[in-house]
């Protein structure tokens, strides 16, 4: 069962919003994790090749910041998942496929696109939320859950 952590969730959301605003203000870039990662994995030359430095820095910050917060605040960050690894891999593939079809991921559409009042991002975010609700219901209540 998932624990309800409103203060930690609010703090995490505020930090994600701050990071997105800073990336837009300082680099003119949208903080969509799918786009940031795909930009790193793209061609080493050509028009899409630039910006590897800020992409690496952003991803490093996304990975290191929670570890620093945990160390400073003495908070435990549980990394365990009750889901079997194969389900985690299938879920990751489904999320990646959905982000590709939707032209971005939840962070790009949900955080940045919604803030810019993008109609496409509103539709994508509502689709993500609907798919998430259906998936949780099916996993927990139809097939017995993890």
């Amino acid at each position: 069962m998932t624990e309800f952590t409103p203060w930690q969730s609010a703090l995490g959301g505020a930090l994600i919003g701050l990071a997105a605003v800073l990336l837009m203000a300082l680099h003119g870039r949208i903080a969509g994790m799918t786009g940031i990662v795909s930009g790193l994995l793209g061609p080493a030359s050509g028009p899409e090749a630039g910006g590897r430095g800020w992409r690496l820095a952003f991803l490093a910050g996304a990975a290191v910041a929670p570890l620093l917060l945990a160390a400073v605040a003495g908070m435990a960050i549980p990394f365990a998942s009750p889901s079997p690894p194969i389900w985690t891999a299938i879920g990751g593939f489904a999320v990646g496929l959905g982000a590709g079809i939707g032209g971005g991921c939840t962070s790009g559409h949900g955080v940045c696109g919604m803030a810019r009042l993008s109609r496409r991002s509103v539709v994508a975010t509502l689709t993500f939320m609907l798919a998430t609700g259906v998936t949780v219901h099916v996993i927990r209540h139809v097939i017995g859950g993890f």
Side-chain angles (χ1 to χ4, degrees):
M1 183 56 85
T2 305
E3 291 183 35
F4 181 59
T5 56
W7 294 113
Q8 288 96 340
S9 301
L11 177 62
L15 290 175
I16 289 170
L18 178 63
V21 167
L22 288 175
L23 186 62
M24 177 63 79
L26 299 176
H27 295 279
R29 300 291 186 156
I30 294 175
M33 294 304 267
T34 304
I36 292 171
V37 171
S38 67
L40 277 177
L41 302 175
S45 62
E48 300 295 323
R52 290 188 192 272
W54 74 263
R55 294 174 195 274
L56 282 171
F58 193 88
L59 291 174
V64 170
L67 298 175
L68 285 176
L69 179 63
V72 170
M75 298 170 47
I77 300 176
F79 288 107
S81 172
S83 304
I86 186 66
W87 282 102
T88 303
I90 291 170
F93 177 77
V95 168
L97 183 64
I101 292 170
C105 60
T106 53
S107 58
H109 283 300
V111 175
C112 298
M114 296 281 284
R116 295 181 308 135
L117 303 176
S118 164
R119 187 178 307 166
R120 184 178 88 141
S121 292
V122 170
V123 170
T125 302
L126 291 174
T127 303
F128 294 149
M129 293 174 67
L130 179 64
T132 300
V134 169
T135 301
V136 168
H137 177 76
V138 168
I139 297 275
R140 288 194 175 171
H141 304 292
V142 175
I143 64 173
F146 300 114

